[in-house]
């Protein structure tokens, strides 16, 4: 696979190169902080977080009596790095247990593709994987998963279009248990325009899994499209309220010139980013490592 740095060229050029320019050869004054504020807001960090980051930066700069603006850049890099959690970044697959991975997110964010990529990664590691097509609302989602299933040799549990998603989940976990699968990945619907239906459906699925799971390992991952900016942050808040998430997959990072969303979401949820999607190939769903990420986008 290509080095992460090459996949993040767009973000690097769009945001981080401009960020560096704010600090090069300039005095540390209000004008510099204002310029920084504008840039952070434009880069999807969000208004509230931008203000908090700048306040923290000013404090640390004052405390350390920093005179050189390039040192301010280093402190900012440190502050942003601290906003991303480093714990449990890799997907936690426990041997000898059934690992259930519930995948939630709005339509079009890359949920199905990510499930396919994760399934094939796990297959490569010799795990026995099954997929539950519990987005019964979209016929295309079921077909897409079957396609991935064929390609990767993974069994897909489905029912007819429009059937009860809870039944698919139940079926998937029962099959996984009786056939001694290592991992069951469950796709869900993402109709955000009907919030209360979506909430009810996800709550029900969550309950069914909890009732069935016993000693199993249960991961709840939210997929977010990095190019949707502050909408992504709203989605993160909403889904985390419905199912207490265990991690996030940020897709399409190769297509965003902003990138601040990763700090905003990490800071809001305080949950680990598990994967970063940086392209359409299987190898382009990368296990997330905060230090590698920060080093790839900052100089
Ligand atoms: P779903 O509706 O959430 O299941 O979304 P899909 O899995 O169908 O993905 C929607 C589109 O996004 C597809 O064309 C994918 O190939 C594309 N996609 C998914 N992840 C990435 C990524 O990390 N980078 C890029 N460039 N495209 C992606």
């Amino acid at each position: 696979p290509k080095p992460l740095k090459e996949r993040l060229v767009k973000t690097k050029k769009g945001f981080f190169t401009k960020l560096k320019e704010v600090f090069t050869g300039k005095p540390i004054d209000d004008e510099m902080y204002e310029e920084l504020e504008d840039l952070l807001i434009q880069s999807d960090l969000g208004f509230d977080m931008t203000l908090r980051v700048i306040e923290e930066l000013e404090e640390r700069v004052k405390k350390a009596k920093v005179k050189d603006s390039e040192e301010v850049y280093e402190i900012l890099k440190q502050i942003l790095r601290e906003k991303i959690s480093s714990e449990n970044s890799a997907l936690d697959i426990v041997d000898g247990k059934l690992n259930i991975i519930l995948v939630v997110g709005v339509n079009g964010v890359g949920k199905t593709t990510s499930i396919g990529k994760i399934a094939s990664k796990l297959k490569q590691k010799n795990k026995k994987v099954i997929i539950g097509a519990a987005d019964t609302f979209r016929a295309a989602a079921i077909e897409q998963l079957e396609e991935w299933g064929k390609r990767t040799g993974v069994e897909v549990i489905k029912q007819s279009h429009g059937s009860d998603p809870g039944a698919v989940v139940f079926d998937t976990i029962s099959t996984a248990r009786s056939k001694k699968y290592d991992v069951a990945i469950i796709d869900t619907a993402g109709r955000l325009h009907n919030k209360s239906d979506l909430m009810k459906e996800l709550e029900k699925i969550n309950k069914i899994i909890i009732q069935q799971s016993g000693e199993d390992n249960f991961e709840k991952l939210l997929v977010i499209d990095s190019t949707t900016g502050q909408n992504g942050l709203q989605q993160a808040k909403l889904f985390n309220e419905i199912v207490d998430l265990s991690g996030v997959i940020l897709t399409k990072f190769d297509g965003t010139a902003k990138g601040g969303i990763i700090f905003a979401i990490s800071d809001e949820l305080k949950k680990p980013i598990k994967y970063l999607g940086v392209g359409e190939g299987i190898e382009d769903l990368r296990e997330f490592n905060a230090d590698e990420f920060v080093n790839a986008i900052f100089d």
Side-chain angles (χ1 to χ4, degrees):
K2 278 196 172 182
L4 187 62
K5 222 177 188 141
E6 284 177 32
R7 285 294 193 210
L8 300 176
V9 172
K10 208 164 169 181
T11 321
K12 197 174 163 68
K13 279 197 184 139
F15 177 17
F16 294 93
T17 306
K18 280 188 206 153
L19 194 58
K20 203 161 191 195
E21 282 165 12
V22 173
F23 299 100
T24 336
K26 285 182 196 154
I28 303 170
D29 56 11
D30 287 351
E31 206 179 307
M32 185 198 78
Y33 284 115
E34 270 163 37
E35 212 181 306
L36 177 62
E37 186 180 314
D38 288 344
L39 182 63
L40 292 182
I41 290 171
Q42 274 170 38
S43 307
D44 286 344
L45 216 71
F47 188 70
D48 294 344
M49 188 182 186
T50 296
L51 295 188
R52 272 185 283 123
V53 165
I54 292 198
E55 201 176 309
E56 205 174 325
L57 181 66
E58 285 191 80
E59 252 167 50
R60 288 205 208 176
V61 164
K62 246 184 229 156
K63 212 169 177 186
K65 298 194 170 62
V66 172
K67 297 276 178 297
D68 181 356
S69 61
E70 291 188 26
E71 234 176 281
V72 183
Y73 173 77
E74 290 303 321
I75 298 173
L76 175 69
K77 175 179 164 181
Q78 189 57 41
I79 291 174
L80 290 177
R81 168 64 191 85
E82 288 163 12
K83 302 292 177 204
I84 311 179
S85 152
S86 339
E87 14 155 5
N88 295 330
S89 279
L91 202 55
D92 200 12
I93 300 296
V94 184
D95 284 333
K97 281 190 180 179
L98 173 61
N99 295 270
I100 302 167
I101 307 173
L102 179 68
V103 185
V104 300
V106 171
N107 284 341
V109 292
K111 209 161 12 117
T112 316
T113 315
S114 298
I115 290 172
K117 288 173 179 173
I118 292 172
S120 78
K121 276 177 198 292
L122 292 171
K123 275 289 273 192
Q124 281 168 14
K125 292 182 181 168
N126 290 321
K127 303 289 178 203
K128 283 179 74 181
V129 184
I130 189 168
I131 295 175
D135 178 357
T136 58
F137 191 75
R138 252 184 356 126
I142 305 176
E143 283 161 24
Q144 226 176 312
L145 285 176
E146 283 191 302
E147 199 51 51
W148 274 102
K150 267 187 218 145
R151 215 188 301 170
T152 52
V154 165
E155 180 174 359
V156 177
I157 297 288
K158 57 153 196 174
Q159 289 182 8
S160 55
H161 176 215
S163 61
D164 174 20
V168 177
V169 171
F170 191 86
D171 212 7
T172 306
I173 296 178
S174 313
T175 309
R177 212 188 295 285
S178 67
K179 293 189 180 171
K180 299 208 172 347
Y181 278 97
D182 299 305
V183 186
I185 310 177
I186 292 164
D187 189 21
T188 58
R191 289 162 286 152
L192 198 60
H193 61 272
N194 197 334
K195 239 186 236 181
S196 72
D197 276 1
L198 177 78
M199 283 172 94
K200 269 187 225 146
E201 185 169 311
L202 287 180
E203 273 162 6
K204 191 175 157 198
I205 288 176
N206 197 28
K207 223 182 249 171
I208 290 172
I209 296 178
I210 290 170
Q211 278 167 0
Q212 254 182 311
S213 62
E215 293 294 299
D216 300 334
N217 185 34
F218 185 16
E219 290 258 8
K220 289 169 271 183
L221 304 184
L222 170 67
V223 183
I224 289 182
D225 176 343
S226 315
T227 64
T228 56
Q230 290 295 298
N231 269 334
L233 187 61
Q234 296 311 319
Q235 290 163 20
K237 285 185 199 174
L238 175 73
F239 279 95
N240 195 40
E241 273 170 36
I242 308 174
V243 282
D244 181 24
L245 299 165
S246 63
V248 177
I249 300 174
L250 271 175
T251 57
K252 310 186 195 180
F253 224 88
D254 52 311
T256 177
K258 296 178 173 179
I261 194 70
I262 194 167
F263 304 106
I265 285 177
S266 295
D267 188 54
E268 173 68 36
L269 297 184
K270 310 264 188 293
K271 300 282 166 75
I273 309 280
K274 299 275 182 177
Y275 288 102
L276 201 62
V278 292
E280 306 212 45
I282 287 177
E283 73 288 353
D284 290 325
L285 187 72
R286 306 285 170 93
E287 277 184 10
F288 184 74
N289 176 298
D291 290 321
E292 183 197 20
F293 173 78
V294 170
N295 288 330
I297 49 174
F298 285 95
D299 271 326

